[in-house]
Amino acid sequence: MNRIGSCARWLRQAFSWPEWLLFASMYLSVRAVSRTGWPGWSLPLDLLAGLSFFVLLKLLDETMDYDQDRAAGRDSFLLRGEVGLGELRALLVVIVAVQGACTLRAGAAAPALVWIALLACAWLLAHPVLAARPLLYSLLHYLLLPGFAWWQFALASGGCHVYTSHVLLMAVFYGGAMQYELSRKLEPAGGYRHVLGLGTGCLLIVCFSLLASLAAAVLSLLLSGRWWGVAMAAGLFGLVLSVHARLALRPSAPFNRLAAQASGVSLLGLNLTIAAAALA
């Protein structure tokens, strides 16, 4: 019971509730775009397997970087000894088992192949060698989100087919996640501001936001045939653009926090817009 309690406490501190909300919105949008309906009685298992993918990425990051983080004197729930490395590895095994059960239940080879490839890529991209290259790490690591979408599409259809709507949603996931990741780590003391500089960092965020917003606008128009989704995507891009332009011109700690919040709201809003368009 102590081990379960330690893992539960780790889960509570690993992600904030806005991050869980973002993960849920990504699952909702990919399910809606799949257009195969909801999985019925198995929805709790499918939802658990889908959301567990984001936990799996965090677990791989913490367990594989353990020795390097300890040598660098970093602070974390794991390094403080509030949860054991063995406990997190056991949780990792449970998550893989749940995902495997959900994938095998589809009864087709294609979802299993996509899932295995996704796990292999996640393991490779969690290797500590990338930790010293934060920008390269993010550019490669967030390619796993289009992979997550492909896995979910394969589960829904039983095949590996990728359609225009799938590609557009993958672009939303990648562009939106990259602009959120860069934005929340643009603090003055280090992070991407130290690597890129504030102006370049803000420009990259706006470019990734433009990619996500354009893809979401086109996708919502294809799904619903109405222009309200385009207006929503344009408004969310305008929010990210205005906040980061203000931050680049007049840096301040409050606008640093506001920039990260605006990027999160943008990704959440794009996902919900796409889901609404698909279900309309």
Side-chain angles (χ1 to χ4, degrees):
M1 291 301 294
N2 287 337
R3 291 184 176 182
I4 295 174
S6 296
C7 290
R9 288 193 295 273
W10 176 85
L11 280 171
R12 284 198 298 270
Q13 66 83 39
F15 302 107
S16 63
W17 70 264
E19 287 175 315
W20 283 115
L21 192 59
L22 279 176
F23 301 155
S25 73
M26 294 177 80
Y27 177 83
L28 175 65
S29 62
V30 79
R31 262 293 168 187
V33 171
S34 71
R35 287 188 177 275
T36 55
W38 298 98
W41 64 267
S42 64
L43 177 60
L45 177 61
D46 288 354
L47 177 61
L48 180 62
L51 295 183
S52 73
F53 173 76
F54 303 98
V55 181
L56 180 141
L57 296 183
K58 182 72 172 178
L59 283 168
L60 286 174
D61 180 58
E62 291 219 4
T63 56
M64 294 185 70
D65 287 347
Y66 177 74
D67 291 333
Q68 288 75 13
D69 290 344
R70 184 175 58 178
R74 296 190 176 95
D75 180 58
S76 74
F77 201 75
L78 173 61
L79 293 169
R80 289 195 302 271
E82 296 180 54
V83 66
L85 190 59
E87 292 165 349
L88 292 189
R89 286 172 174 164
L91 179 60
L92 184 61
V93 170
V94 170
I95 286 174
V96 171
V98 170
Q99 291 183 3
C102 184
T103 303
L104 292 175
R105 188 180 56 81
L113 292 174
V114 173
W115 175 66
I116 291 170
L118 186 59
L119 285 186
C121 290
W123 184 84
L124 288 171
L125 292 175
H127 196 279
V129 72
L130 285 176
R133 300 168 177 83
L135 183 58
L136 179 62
Y137 170 82
S138 293
L139 288 169
L140 294 176
H141 199 70
Y142 283 97
L143 285 171
L144 292 170
L145 294 182
F148 162 75
W150 192 15
W151 172 45
Q152 291 295 310
F153 287 134
L155 279 176
S157 67
C160 286
H161 308 293
V162 177
Y163 302 106
T164 301
S165 59
H166 297 173
V167 174
L168 289 169
L169 185 62
M170 290 175 183
V172 173
F173 281 4
Y174 185 70
M178 278 301 304
Q179 56 104 13
Y180 178 60
E181 167 71 4
L182 291 171
S183 188
R184 72 189 186 93
K185 292 185 179 177
L186 209 59
E187 67 272 9
Y192 293 108
R193 185 182 296 193
H194 178 71
V195 176
L196 296 168
L198 180 60
T200 303
C202 288
L203 179 60
L204 274 176
I205 290 165
V206 169
C207 288
F208 279 117
S209 179
L210 180 61
L211 168 65
S213 299
L214 282 174
V218 174
L219 179 54
S220 64
L221 189 60
L222 286 176
L223 292 172
S224 69
R226 301 188 180 98
W227 287 89
W228 58 265
V230 177
M232 284 292 298
L236 291 166
F237 172 70
L239 172 66
V240 173
L241 174 63
S242 60
V243 171
H244 286 85
R246 167 62 172 77
L247 177 63
L249 293 172
R250 296 178 61 186
S252 67
F255 259 83
N256 254 92
R257 292 189 293 272
L258 183 60
Q261 291 166 357
S263 293
V265 167
S266 173
L267 180 53
L268 175 65
L270 291 177
N271 285 326
L272 295 179
T273 297
I274 291 166
L279 297 172

